[in-house]
Amino acid sequence: MFADYSMAELGAIFAMQGFAGLILFSVFVLMALGLAIIFGQMGVINMAHGEFMILGAYVTYLVSNLFAEYMPALFSMYFFVAMIFAFIASGLLGLFVEWAMIRHLYKRPLDTLLATWGLSLILQQTYRSVFGAREVGVSIPDWMMGSLPLTDLIEVPINGIFVMVLAVGISLAVYIMMFRSRWGKQVRAINQNRVMAGAVGINTEWTDRLTFGIGCGVAGVAGSAFTMIGSTGPTAGQLYIVDTFLVVVFGGAGSLLGTIASAFSISQAQSIMEFFLSGSMAKVLTLLVVVGILMIRPQGLFSLKLRK
């Protein structure tokens, strides 16, 4: 298989494959961060997580069209504005969903699973009615197009580098919110002892609502980033939900470090195996390995206490 390649060409191939794994790692991190907040800190199984992501993607699509039609001179900067609106739109929808539905289902995880699955179907049909059944795509700014040559044989796509930088930025933002902010302290206090947290004056209901809203908002930003590497459709969120839960559960519910470590290990394993096998077979083998590890260590790579 490798006899036809020189050592330099083999090195370039493996380097490109490794970079593809890093892009996949960034995608997994973006997908999983919002769910790590909702599922890890609240214990809510949000099957509509993918639809909150797709809402962010559709918001990005609308913002790109508005800039293209009314502010073409600023089109190269539209994506940064779109990320803000995607966070706001998905976050506000998350706040409403928590108030209208989720707050009645705490301590009933199977009910939250069924309720959010029904919500995902409703959102899919809403997207289909508003935007149509066909997939839509955004026009990538000129500065994101093309590749960056590292050597004579190795080139990396600029939009892939942007997704990686975005994943690092959002991970740092989530870390600061969870471990360096007043809200993060309240979330962790409620996670450890809800009754005691309420007794010392923490508004647990509002903290729950804000936590769910922020998790959904982060999912919206992830959806905004996905428009850079793929098209958007009403059911596109279902393509990501399994991988998202896999990353969060394998890393350990509630652990930010575990989520990142899980995303890295799964993405690199899948990317390396894709070089030797088909994409579907690589995904199946990765899933089997992860399931096997979870059977031995069901709490995941890094375990934290879930909310009681």
Side-chain angles (χ1 to χ4, degrees):
M1 177 179 178
F2 303 111
D4 297 332
Y5 298 98
S6 65
M7 291 299 295
E9 290 173 333
L10 284 175
I13 291 173
F14 279 108
M16 293 289 290
Q17 200 68 22
F19 188 81
L22 289 177
I23 295 177
L24 185 61
F25 157 69
S26 303
V27 171
F28 280 169
V29 168
L30 288 172
M31 290 191 302
L33 282 176
L35 191 65
I37 296 173
I38 294 173
F39 178 61
Q41 298 298 330
M42 303 179 66
V44 174
I45 304 175
N46 183 19
M47 295 300 293
H49 185 75
E51 280 60 48
F52 284 99
M53 293 164 53
I54 297 308
L55 175 60
Y58 274 124
V59 169
T60 304
Y61 167 72
L62 293 176
V63 171
S64 69
N65 288 344
L66 287 175
F67 269 75
E69 185 170 353
Y70 298 106
M71 293 177 284
L74 300 176
F75 183 78
S76 61
M77 305 299 294
Y78 86 85
F79 185 73
F80 301 100
V81 178
M83 283 195 299
I84 296 174
F85 279 100
F87 179 85
I88 294 173
S90 296
L92 288 177
L93 179 60
L95 290 176
F96 174 75
V97 169
E98 199 281 339
W99 172 81
M101 182 175 67
I102 300 299
R103 67 190 177 106
H104 304 290
L105 302 175
Y106 288 126
K107 298 183 180 179
R108 295 156 59 185
L110 292 181
D111 289 347
T112 62
L113 186 152
L114 293 174
T116 55
W117 178 68
L119 175 64
S120 73
L121 297 180
I122 294 173
L123 292 177
Q124 287 176 32
Q125 187 57 47
T126 302
Y127 299 153
R128 189 175 289 109
S129 300
V130 174
F131 298 101
R134 293 185 177 181
E135 293 185 342
V136 298
V138 302
S139 298
I140 300 177
D142 291 339
W143 61 271
M144 279 192 192
M145 301 180 68
S147 299
L148 182 67
L150 299 182
T151 68
D152 294 337
L153 299 175
I154 302 176
E155 293 185 352
V156 294
I158 295 176
N159 61 341
I161 297 175
F162 179 79
V163 171
M164 292 172 59
V165 172
L166 182 62
V168 172
I170 294 179
S171 298
L172 289 175
V174 171
Y175 172 80
I176 292 172
M177 287 192 298
M178 288 300 303
F179 298 100
R180 293 292 184 269
S181 72
R182 179 182 176 87
W183 165 77
K185 291 178 181 178
Q186 292 177 346
V187 170
R188 287 182 285 120
I190 295 173
N191 190 22
Q192 293 178 12
N193 193 319
R194 170 179 286 273
V195 176
M196 184 60 69
V200 298
I202 295 176
N203 188 337
T204 57
E205 290 187 4
W206 172 244
T207 304
D208 287 336
R209 193 161 303 145
L210 189 60
T211 301
F212 193 85
I214 290 176
C216 293
V218 172
V221 176
S224 184
F226 291 152
T227 61
M228 299 293 102
I229 56 178
S231 55
T232 302
T235 60
Q238 295 300 306
L239 301 176
Y240 306 116
I241 191 66
V242 175
D243 288 333
T244 304
F245 270 103
L246 185 66
V247 168
V248 172
V249 173
F250 183 53
S255 172
L256 179 61
L257 178 60
T259 298
I260 295 174
S262 171
F264 181 80
S265 57
I266 292 175
S267 62
Q268 288 298 322
Q270 187 171 319
S271 178
I272 291 172
M273 283 192 288
E274 282 179 356
F275 183 75
F276 301 98
L277 306 169
S278 64
S280 58
M281 183 58 67
K283 197 160 191 173
V284 168
L285 289 178
T286 303
L287 177 61
L288 291 176
V289 171
V290 170
V291 170
I293 294 175
L294 287 175
M295 291 178 67
I296 301 172
R297 186 178 172 81
Q299 69 269 37
L301 297 177
F302 298 85
S303 60
L304 293 175
K305 284 187 177 181
L306 290 177
R307 174 176 299 178
K308 302 299 183 183

